[in-house]
Amino acid sequence: MTDSPFVEVEGLHYSRGETSIFRGVDMAIPRGRITAIMGPSGTGKTTLLKLIGGQLTPDAGRVRIAGEDVHALSRKALFRLRRRMGMLFQSGALFSDLDVYENVAFPLRVHTDLPESMIRDLVLLKLQAVGLRGARQLMPAELSGGMARRVALARAIALDPELILYDEPFVGQDPISMGVLVQLIRRLNDALGLTAVVVSHDIKETLSIADYVYVIADGQVMARGAPADLDVDRDPRVRQFVHGEPDGPVPFHYPARDFYADLLGAGGPK
Amino acid sequence: MIDHIVRLGRWGCETLERLGDAGIFLAQSMFGVPSAEGVRLWLRQMHFVGVMSLAIVLVSGLFIGMVLALQGYTILVDFGAEDALGQMVALSLLRELAPVVAALLFAGRAGSALTAEIGLMKATEQLTSMEMIGVDPLRRVVAPRLWAGFVALPLLTIGFGVVGVWGGQLVGVQWLGVFEGSYWGNMQASVDFVADVGNGLLKSLVFALVVTWIAVYQGYALVPTSEGISRATTRTVVYASLAVLGLDFVLTAVMFGGLS
């Protein structure tokens, strides 16, 4: 990791209403690698991706992509920057009124003036890469969850982005599509040299493909390092998360008053 | 007491903020250089909000024209003035009923559909993914729908008026036996193109803008859950109907009430 990072996050603060979500997050996402951002549910991992993509504005701090301060850009410049990024949404977020082919062709049609024959070639290449060339005529409603996510992946790489953001790519997938996705993410990275950010809490799969890992919790970066380093991290919070222990510094119970008093406390709130 | 004042103040501030937000939203989506793709998307929306609303608007127009003639006749005949039926039907329709009822029907038929469609696109992250692809959903999704509504409603209003006048003739002349020459002749003599037809169309343009604006904004700004979508759809119909009726009073006062 000698070259400059592609995405830099500095002193990021963000809160939603009264709830503080990030309290000073710093990150450096290296170019051409797969960086995983992990953490328990509800720590704001998806929010972090939205902050990086410029859909949300932080209360304080900066996000720079390829040297450009995302939140200081005009709406137009921000949309220009986004053409260099792809994002894979948890739900796939395919356009429900377009078929698979048109979904993948969408970014090409709006951002390039390529002739139809070349668009066709590119779309088929991308669909071939995710193994769904034969499904090009299907509508999004006819796809399974795993297929929808693979089509979304083909769409996300249609313009050959430099950065791709994966939002929980493994959630709700059966073991086969999970394996396919893991392989695809790794292969795309190796073949195209993309910079990838994977947000996930599927430890095994994520650690198997990540080059570098950040663990966030309580609004801060709790640990960082190569996957092997995390496995032997001594911090009890990191240990609990990485090894999936049900109770520990992150409590099993939602904060409540004493159980005994609660059971006997007739007349209290339900 | 202080609490109530604070709450009222907060409500006032929030309402103003939302209005400002909706204003910026309108400005950002309505103005821009149209592309060939934009025209294609607009035509498609014209089909959805305009052509698909034709049936309900025309059928309602027919019935309202027929009822007007029936009611008008029973009153006018007492004074021997049934020859004035044509002008009564035409003026009621052109000045008031066509713009207002067509706008109310449009809010229920097309407005609620626009809100639900945009809301569902938001809930399924389609709008966000469009943004991430580098396409502004305000230009791609909202603008064609806004312009389609803005153009479609006045056209529907014209259809409503025409069918209504014909429906009035059907009942008045064909059924109740009003002399055909006086039905059309009195109408022609008393309807002024600018003052009646023009003002009616102007009303309809205002309603078109307001109804479509409310519909797309409610869809775009809703809370992306199933409850949020249902609430926003209801709000579209309620706000749009109230806005149409309220604005109608103001516009009528200015146009026909001698306020100008």
Side-chain angles (χ1 to χ4, degrees):
Chain A
M1 261 177 286
T2 45
D3 45 1
S4 67
F6 191 68
V7 181
E8 291 164 278
V9 178
E10 286 171 15
L12 195 73
H13 283 74
Y14 182 75
S15 50
R16 189 177 287 137
E18 304 286 301
T19 329
S20 158
I21 299 189
F22 296 120
R23 294 189 303 272
V25 169
D26 294 290
M27 280 182 186
I29 313 274
R31 200 181 286 269
R33 305 286 176 85
I34 298 180
T35 304
I37 299 175
M38 309 185 71
S41 302
T43 41
K45 301 187 295 293
T46 302
T47 308
L48 186 60
L49 280 193
K50 288 188 171 169
L51 284 161
I52 293 176
Q55 286 156 348
L56 297 173
T57 310
D59 301 334
R62 272 202 304 194
V63 176
R64 270 193 304 216
I65 298 181
E68 291 194 82
D69 186 342
V70 173
H71 300 97
L73 294 174
S74 68
R75 196 171 164 87
K76 214 170 171 179
L78 178 63
F79 278 109
R80 213 171 25 241
L81 178 67
R82 282 184 183 152
R83 289 177 207 172
R84 297 165 62 186
M85 313 181 201
M87 181 159 174
L88 182 69
F89 287 84
Q90 214 178 108
S91 61
L94 296 174
F95 302 130
S96 45
D97 54 339
L98 302 177
D99 64 14
V100 165
Y101 180 94
E102 285 301 323
N103 259 291
V104 180
F106 182 83
L108 297 166
R109 289 196 201 285
V110 291
H111 290 314
T112 67
D113 290 323
L114 295 175
E116 195 54 41
S117 62
M118 193 171 282
I119 287 184
R120 183 172 185 275
D121 291 348
L122 284 171
V123 171
L124 294 187
L125 274 172
K126 305 296 176 190
L127 282 174
Q128 173 75 10
V130 298
L132 289 175
R133 193 163 44 85
R136 71 187 107 153
Q137 262 118 22
L138 298 181
M139 293 303 283
E142 298 171 282
L143 303 174
S144 71
M147 284 162 82
R149 218 164 287 181
R150 276 150 69 191
V151 174
L153 184 54
R155 184 179 67 181
I157 56 168
L159 284 172
D160 293 323
E162 297 162 61
L163 169 69
I164 183 156
L165 308 170
Y166 297 95
D167 184 10
E168 301 279 8
F170 312 120
V171 164
Q173 300 291 317
D174 65 60
I176 301 175
S177 22
M178 185 114 105
V180 170
L181 278 166
V182 168
Q183 228 185 37
L184 271 175
I185 293 174
R186 184 73 253 179
R187 243 190 18 220
L188 281 173
N189 185 255
D190 292 341
L192 306 174
L194 307 165
T195 305
V197 179
V198 182
V199 154
S200 178
H201 51 228
D202 291 289
I203 298 159
K204 197 174 119 258
E205 289 73 24
T206 312
L207 291 188
S208 72
I209 50 170
D211 297 309
Y212 201 75
V213 183
Y214 283 89
V215 179
I216 52 173
D218 300 331
Q220 279 162 332
V221 174
M222 206 162 62
R224 62 180 74 194
D229 303 340
L230 280 193
D231 235 8
V232 295
D233 199 297
R234 286 177 181 280
D235 186 323
R237 292 175 307 174
V238 180
R239 275 181 63 86
Q240 187 195 356
F241 179 72
V242 174
H243 299 287
E245 292 155 5
D247 212 352
V250 179
F252 169 68
H253 290 288
Y254 192 81
R257 61 190 178 131
D258 182 59
F259 188 40
Y260 184 67
D262 213 0
L263 281 176
L264 293 182
K270 66 172 181 181
Chain B
M1 182 61 196
I2 293 286
D3 256 14
H4 286 295
I5 297 173
V6 167
R7 220 171 295 154
L8 184 72
R10 189 176 300 148
W11 176 82
C13 288
E14 280 171 7
T15 308
L16 271 182
E17 202 180 317
R18 264 202 305 276
L19 278 175
D21 201 37
I24 294 170
F25 166 85
L26 180 71
Q28 279 183 339
S29 36
M30 261 203 127
F31 303 110
V33 190
S35 59
E37 178 66 7
V39 172
R40 201 184 58 79
L41 290 168
W42 172 73
L43 279 175
R44 209 169 129 180
Q45 289 308 318
M46 280 295 283
H47 174 77
F48 282 121
V49 301
V51 179
M52 305 280 272
S53 307
L54 255 183
I56 184 176
V57 167
L58 293 188
V59 171
S60 309
L62 180 69
F63 280 119
I64 285 189
M66 284 161 60
V67 167
L68 265 181
L70 202 53
Q71 291 278 14
Y73 181 83
T74 54
I75 295 168
L76 291 173
V77 77
D78 288 346
F79 307 98
E82 66 270 24
D83 285 346
L85 188 66
Q87 85 190 64
M88 196 220 84
V89 169
L91 289 180
S92 324
L93 275 172
L94 297 177
R95 287 182 177 187
E96 284 301 329
L97 288 171
V100 172
V101 179
L104 293 178
L105 291 170
F106 187 77
R109 165 65 183 77
S112 57
L114 285 177
T115 305
E117 189 191 12
I118 295 179
L120 208 61
M121 287 173 94
K122 182 174 179 179
T124 51
E125 294 183 305
Q126 292 183 47
L127 296 183
T128 324
S129 73
M130 200 171 272
E131 276 186 14
M132 287 306 296
I133 290 172
V135 174
D136 189 347
L138 288 182
R139 311 258 345 114
R140 172 105 194 168
V141 175
V142 174
R145 286 167 174 79
L146 254 177
W147 278 105
F150 189 57
V151 176
L153 181 52
L155 293 177
L156 289 168
T157 303
I158 293 174
F160 188 104
V162 169
V163 173
V165 166
W166 181 72
Q169 182 269 154
L170 217 57
V171 168
V173 176
Q174 310 291 334
W175 180 26
L176 299 170
V178 174
F179 176 52
E180 192 167 10
S182 52
Y183 183 86
W184 295 115
N186 273 333
M187 191 187 297
Q188 197 180 3
S190 62
V191 173
D192 185 78
F193 188 76
V194 176
D196 300 318
V197 180
N199 275 335
L201 271 181
L202 191 61
K203 273 186 178 181
S204 159
L205 275 174
V206 173
F207 297 159
L209 181 67
V210 172
V211 171
T212 324
W213 177 20
I214 289 176
V216 290
Y217 179 71
Q218 289 294 342
Y220 195 77
L222 58 69
V223 183
T225 58
S226 35
E227 196 193 356
I229 293 177
S230 97
R231 277 186 186 197
T233 318
T234 311
R235 266 205 303 269
T236 292
V237 178
V238 173
Y239 289 176
S241 307
L242 290 179
V244 165
L245 295 170
L247 276 171
D248 182 51
F249 177 73
V250 176
L251 288 171
T252 306
V254 173
M255 289 169 172
F256 305 105
L259 274 187
S260 47

